């Protein structure tokens, strides 16, 4: 067991929200939370009707849920247009002139888009997409950095019923190509480049390489963010590529203009987006989220978990390419009419005080970030923080990976000035919205525990043998029944969806996480128990890394495992055997690193590549990852080695010192 997990098990500190926070909170007592929660289970239709009354239902729903488990639909007969709930509904209110997005580029420039301005951008882009022939249900890929237009792109798709597939800008051309082809996207929205740590990420050039092999892709729309041929040269290919601004300024057909202005309503179950994430096979899966259920979940959680007030300037530091960016930069907060801060670049560009300078400069009130970032801030030193006035902050959030109690305490003390509650939010790409957390004005929080279930959610735990766990007994985390914002399927592979999530424990959703639930019903998530790693909050399937590595001509076999890492939570260690005639050594190590950069993206680079003559296998030929994890962590193996084919393999691996 790692030190982090041991300390998590012993943790017993508790923090209540301050009286002043509580006084203004939307849900301000344990009893108020319990009443809402119980109502969400006993009378779900009434609960959701009230909780989502701000959303615009063009055709109000009468059926809350049809079917069960992985075959459920929600708000089944309702119709809505998601972008109308996020934008149009605010235009008739004082929110029309309120900032929807306050954006700061890495070089330091600031742009503010009011709800009216964001609406105008979205309508123009939606009309342009319509004129390019995009129809409801068509897929549109988005490969962009952190610019307001990325949010506009998503909302424009939603407006016309197109299904967006945002691909994180850190993915390589090959990964982008695979995602475009899997979803069958016919349009790609991208930008010339994005600023990152003073350099330019050449997104358009990378997209060009990807789309060479995307037969269904007909159009590429390119925003000029860098807008400098010297710093970021781009080529626009005649007939396929469009300059974003030129396209939006071009004359529009009457039909497209009027449909973009007064958009169609879609069924609540109409797909809103596909988002790819790693699973336990080499092929990433495209989780499909719907319009009504997803928006309801994102809206209600954004409202209650972040306790949003009209005066808040809320900052979620995630990238739009991940689910957190979807739910808590775009759909959740905008459907609540919040002002969202958005930042383009790296947290230490040009120096480690960048975040704190921006919080002071803009008066940010809510900060939602990841444990890896928090641990990096701790490492960089308090001096970068304390020179800034962070008194505008009133609430902090954490997401993406378990937060170790010491990082939690630092976050509370140094960033939150001991006054801001922390919401540790547990959820997944598949869940669409936060499922476990502590409502900040209602209940105590415990460092390291995500907390209590959100509305309509019943978490439970089972042992390896499928028996219910006792209080505090560790087990597999399940969700007992379907909920509105859950993904409905995997794009093109519904069987895989049912197999992965719903079949092992019939009727229950399998999260893939290990956890314990304590005597107060608080959930403590330990981490993944399937073949998925969580490296710096990025989800990476071991099989995806392995299949990339065996695609290299020098590699015979590969096994990827996680090793505890103080900064990133887990580090990626790969064991590789080479084909005969190939030389293992520094050159091959560099080549394999480059190969991963190319096949997946730099964020998936292994932290260590270890060459071996053989990998430990069972007699039936299965790689024994448990042993490799021990070797990677430098631990003596505690596990059973009786099925290991050849013990000398393990001895050789332990002796291997060729790691970098
Ligand atoms: O292992 C859990 C971890 O992140 C996984 C989901 O990853 P992804 O789909 O990329 O979504 C990340 C953002 C929601 C989970 O299975 N995880 C997420 N949040 C937490 C967490 N682990 C512990 N505590 C959390 N708050």
């Amino acid at each position: 067991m790692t030190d982090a997990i041991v300390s998590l098990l012993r943790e017993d500190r508790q923090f209540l929200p301050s009286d002043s926070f509580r006084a203004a909170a939307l849900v301000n007592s344990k009893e108020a939370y319990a009443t809402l929660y119980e109502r969400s289970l006993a009378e779900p239709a009434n609960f959701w009707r009230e909780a989502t009354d701000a959303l615009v239902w063009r055709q109000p729903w009468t059926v809350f849920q049809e079917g069960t488990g992985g075959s459920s639909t929600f708000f089944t007969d309702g119709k809505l247009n998601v972008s109308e709930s996020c934008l149009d509904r605010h235009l008739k209110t004082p929110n029309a002139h309120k900032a929807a997005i306050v954006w700061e580029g890495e070089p330091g420039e600031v742009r503010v888009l009011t709800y009216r301005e964001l609406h105008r951008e979205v309508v123009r882009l939606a009309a342009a997409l319509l004129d390019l022939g995009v129809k409801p249900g068509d897929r549109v890929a988005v490969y962009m950095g952190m610019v307001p237009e990325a949010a506009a792109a998503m909302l424009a798709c939603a407006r016309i019923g197109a299904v967006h597939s945002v691909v994180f800008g850190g993915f390589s051309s090959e990964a982008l190509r695979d995602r475009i082809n899997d979803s069958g996207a016919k349009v790609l929205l991208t930008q010339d480049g994005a600023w990152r740590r003073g350099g330019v990420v050449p997104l358009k050039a990378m997209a060009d390489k990807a789309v060479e092999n995307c037969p269904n892709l007909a159009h590429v729309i390119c925003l000029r963010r860098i807008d400098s041929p010297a710093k970021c040269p781009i080529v626009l290919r005649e007939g396929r590529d469009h300059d974003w601004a030129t396209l939006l300024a071009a004359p529009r057909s009457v039909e497209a203009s009027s449909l973009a202005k007064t958009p169609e309503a879609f069924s609540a179950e109409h797909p809103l987006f596909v988002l790819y994430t790693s699973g336990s096979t080499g092929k990433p899966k495209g989780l499909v989220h719907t319009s009504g259920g997803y928006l309801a979940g994102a809206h209600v959680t954004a409202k209650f978990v972040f306790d949003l007030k009209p005066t808040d300037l809320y900052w979620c530091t995630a990238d739009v390419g991940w689910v957190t960016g979807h739910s808590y930069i775009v759909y959740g907060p905008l459907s609540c009419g919040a002002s969202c801060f958005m930042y383009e670049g790296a947290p230490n560009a040009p120096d480690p005080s960048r975040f704190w300078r921006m919080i002071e400069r803009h008066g940010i009130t809510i900060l939602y970030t990841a444990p890896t970032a928090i641990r990096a801030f701790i490492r960089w030193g308090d001096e970068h923080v304390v020179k800034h006035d962070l008194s505008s902050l009133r609430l902090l959030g954490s997401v993406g990976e378990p937060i170790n109690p010491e990082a939690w305490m630092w976050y509370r003390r140094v960033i939150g000035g001991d006054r801001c509650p922390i919401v540790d939010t547990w959820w997944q790409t598949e869940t669409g919205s936060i499922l476990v957390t502590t409502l900040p004005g209602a209940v105590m929080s415990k460092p390291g525990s995500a907390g209590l279930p959100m509305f309509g959610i019943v978490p439970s735990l089972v042992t390896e043998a499928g028996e219910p766990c006792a209080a505090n007994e560790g087990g597999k985390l399940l969700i007992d029944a379907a909920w509105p914002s859950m993904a409905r399927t995997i794009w093109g592979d519904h069987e895989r969806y049912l197999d992965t999530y719903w079949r092992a424990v019939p009727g229950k959703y399998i999260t893939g996480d290990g956890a314990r639930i304590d005597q107060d019903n608080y959930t403590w998530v330990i981490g993944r128990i399937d073949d998925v790693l969580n490296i710096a909050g990025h989800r990476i399937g071991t099989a995806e890394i392995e299949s990339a590595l065996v695609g290299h001509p020098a590699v015979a076999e590969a096994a990827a495992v996680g090793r505890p890492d103080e900064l990133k939570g887990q580090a990626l260690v790969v064991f590789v055997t080479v084909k005969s005639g190939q030389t293992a050594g520094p050159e091959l190590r560099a080549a394999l690193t480059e190969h991963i950069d190319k096949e997946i993206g730099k964020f998936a680079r292994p932290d260590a590549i270890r060459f071996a003559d053989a990998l430990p296998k069972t007699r039936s030929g299965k790689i024994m990852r448990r042993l490799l994890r021990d070797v990677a962590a430098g631990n003596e193996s505690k596990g059973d080695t009786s099925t290991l084919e050849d013990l000398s393999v393990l001895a050789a691996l332990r002796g291997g010192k060729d790691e970098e």
Side-chain angles (χ1 to χ4, degrees):
M1 223 182 292
T2 68
D3 291 349
I5 292 176
V6 171
S7 70
L8 209 80
L9 294 175
R10 291 203 192 118
E11 182 59 46
D12 58 4
R13 284 172 286 201
Q14 303 177 350
F15 293 89
L16 277 167
S18 67
D19 289 343
S20 61
F21 190 95
R22 184 179 288 243
L26 209 54
V27 183
N28 60 8
S29 69
K30 199 168 141 186
E31 293 71 30
Y33 157 75
T35 306
L36 279 169
Y37 178 65
E38 274 148 31
R39 188 165 149 80
S40 74
L41 297 182
E43 299 175 53
N46 290 336
F47 171 85
W48 284 99
R49 196 178 306 285
E50 281 159 30
T52 59
D53 68 344
L55 303 181
V56 185
W57 290 97
R58 289 260 202 100
Q59 179 175 304
W61 51 273
T62 61
V63 179
F64 169 65
Q65 180 175 359
E66 234 171 48
T68 56
S71 309
S72 306
T73 59
F74 289 87
F75 313 118
T76 315
D77 55 345
K79 283 193 176 171
L80 77 168
N81 183 290
V82 168
S83 83
E84 194 176 13
S85 282
C86 294
L87 299 170
D88 305 55
R89 82 174 187 91
H90 304 304
L91 301 187
K92 300 172 214 104
T93 73
N95 279 351
H97 303 291
K98 175 182 173 174
I101 297 178
V102 178
W103 174 83
E104 189 169 314
E106 195 182 83
E109 72 274 48
V110 172
R111 272 172 72 196
V112 178
L113 277 102
T114 63
Y115 272 93
R116 185 173 295 286
E117 288 163 337
L118 181 60
H119 174 263
R120 193 168 56 222
E121 278 308 297
V122 168
V123 170
R124 292 171 75 214
L125 182 56
L129 292 173
L130 286 168
D131 268 345
L132 289 180
V134 179
K135 303 262 179 306
D138 284 350
R139 276 77 61 208
V140 172
V142 178
Y143 184 59
M144 298 182 73
M146 290 293 287
V147 289
E149 285 80 0
M154 293 159 78
L155 290 162
C157 290
R159 199 163 184 86
I160 61 172
V163 180
H164 60 71
S165 165
V166 183
V167 179
F168 171 54
F171 275 114
S172 65
S173 301
E174 273 77 356
L176 173 63
R177 175 201 62 205
D178 292 347
R179 284 157 179 76
I180 291 175
N181 286 337
D182 187 80
S183 69
K186 78 184 204 196
V187 176
L188 170 68
L189 298 165
T190 188
Q191 60 191 69
D192 50 0
W195 287 108
R196 187 86 194 164
R197 247 175 232 113
V200 170
V201 184
L203 290 166
K204 174 65 165 71
M206 286 161 73
D208 285 343
K209 251 178 92 197
V211 302
E212 274 167 21
N213 296 304
C214 296
N216 287 332
L217 196 92
H219 300 281
V220 177
I221 305 175
C222 178
L223 175 80
R224 290 184 199 263
R225 154 67 186 123
I226 308 290
D227 204 15
S228 156
K231 292 189 180 115
C232 185
I234 55 163
V235 181
L236 291 184
R237 208 179 88 183
E238 192 67 35
R240 183 196 70 189
D241 294 356
H242 311 263
D243 172 72
W244 187 297
T246 314
L247 180 73
L248 263 61
R252 286 279 82 88
S253 69
V254 178
E255 300 77 42
S257 315
S258 90
L259 198 53
K261 228 175 267 162
T262 316
E264 228 180 302
F266 300 97
S267 152
E269 286 293 309
H270 184 77
L272 178 65
F273 65 84
V274 180
L275 185 58
Y276 286 84
T277 190
S278 290
S280 47
T281 74
K283 192 172 173 294
K285 45 194 178 184
L287 273 319
V288 180
H289 280 284
T290 59
S291 304
Y294 169 81
L295 184 66
H299 173 76
V300 169
T301 47
K303 173 171 152 184
F304 285 103
V305 177
F306 299 112
D307 191 50
L308 289 168
K309 305 274 180 270
T311 47
D312 275 323
L313 181 56
Y314 155 93
W315 182 19
C316 165
T317 69
D319 191 282
V320 285
W322 306 113
V323 75
T324 309
H326 285 56
S327 303
Y328 298 110
I329 293 178
V330 181
Y331 294 108
L334 295 181
S335 69
C336 291
S339 291
C340 303
F341 181 72
M342 194 173 178
Y343 167 57
E344 178 182 39
N348 54 354
D351 61 68
S353 57
R354 182 62 187 261
F355 269 29
W356 323 119
R357 195 156 56 238
M358 292 193 296
I359 288 175
E360 180 173 2
R361 179 180 187 191
H362 298 281
I364 289 163
T365 59
I366 301 173
L367 174 67
Y368 186 35
T369 194
T372 291
I374 296 166
R375 290 188 291 262
F377 299 139
I378 296 174
R379 190 173 283 188
W380 292 338
D382 293 10
E383 64 273 22
H384 301 291
V385 185
V386 294
K387 63 183 178 198
H388 291 287
D389 176 5
L390 303 185
S391 59
S392 59
L393 286 173
R394 63 179 202 90
L395 177 61
L396 303 175
S398 172
V399 60
E401 34 173 336
I403 180 164
N404 48 309
E406 292 325 308
W408 195 102
M409 292 301 297
W410 181 90
Y411 195 29
R412 182 182 154 88
R413 181 174 54 81
V414 181
I415 307 304
D418 278 325
R419 98 194 149 264
C420 304
I422 297 178
V423 286
D424 176 0
T425 61
W426 177 87
W427 58 296
Q428 307 176 301
T429 305
E430 293 85 342
T431 71
S433 64
I434 295 165
L435 296 200
V436 180
T437 192
T438 47
L439 292 189
V443 295
M444 66 179 173
S445 45
K446 306 185 186 191
S449 168
L452 295 169
M454 278 305 297
F455 308 123
I457 301 302
V458 182
S460 66
L461 291 174
V462 289
T463 62
E464 205 52 54
E467 299 297 324
C469 292
N472 283 311
E473 187 186 359
K476 296 183 188 180
L477 181 63
L478 310 175
I479 305 297
D480 278 3
W483 64 100
S485 70
M486 67 181 208
R488 298 290 190 273
T489 190
I490 291 173
W491 185 264
D493 199 348
H494 194 58
E495 282 302 302
R496 183 176 174 196
Y497 168 78
L498 294 174
D499 276 343
T500 310
Y501 302 111
W502 296 99
R503 284 194 172 133
V505 187
K508 301 197 177 187
Y509 170 81
I510 297 141
T511 67
D513 278 355
R516 72 180 168 102
I517 297 180
D518 72 12
Q519 63 289 349
D520 300 319
N521 202 30
Y522 276 54
T523 297
W524 301 71
V525 175
I526 309 291
R528 303 288 311 190
I529 45 173
D530 52 6
D531 291 328
V532 173
L533 304 176
N534 194 331
I535 313 273
H538 292 150
R539 192 165 145 175
I540 302 175
T542 52
E544 215 176 312
I545 300 284
E546 289 161 7
S547 89
L549 285 170
V550 296
H552 187 278
V555 175
E557 279 187 310
V561 296
R563 155 180 92 189
D565 184 87
E566 271 196 19
L567 183 65
K568 304 201 281 185
Q570 277 190 306
L572 173 62
V573 179
V574 300
F575 294 86
V576 169
T577 63
V578 297
K579 289 186 183 152
S580 69
Q582 301 287 342
T583 317
E587 265 171 40
L588 182 57
R589 186 173 284 121
L592 294 180
T593 304
E594 213 174 285
H595 184 69
I596 294 284
D597 289 357
K598 181 168 153 296
E599 291 292 313
I600 303 176
K602 288 201 172 86
F603 73 95
R605 262 187 190 184
D607 296 274
I609 298 178
R610 296 182 64 163
F611 294 111
D613 292 334
L615 297 177
K617 292 200 185 133
T618 61
R619 286 183 200 115
S620 60
K622 268 184 75 178
I623 293 175
M624 295 183 82
R625 297 170 176 287
R626 180 173 46 77
L627 298 185
L628 288 175
R629 276 195 289 270
D630 287 337
V631 173
N635 296 339
E636 274 306 306
S637 197
K638 296 170 287 293
D640 178 14
T641 53
S642 58
T643 55
L644 181 65
E645 200 195 19
D646 179 1
L647 266 174
S648 66
V649 168
L650 201 56
L653 279 171
R654 287 227 181 79
K657 290 274 176 273
D658 58 348
E659 187 178 355
E660 273 179 356

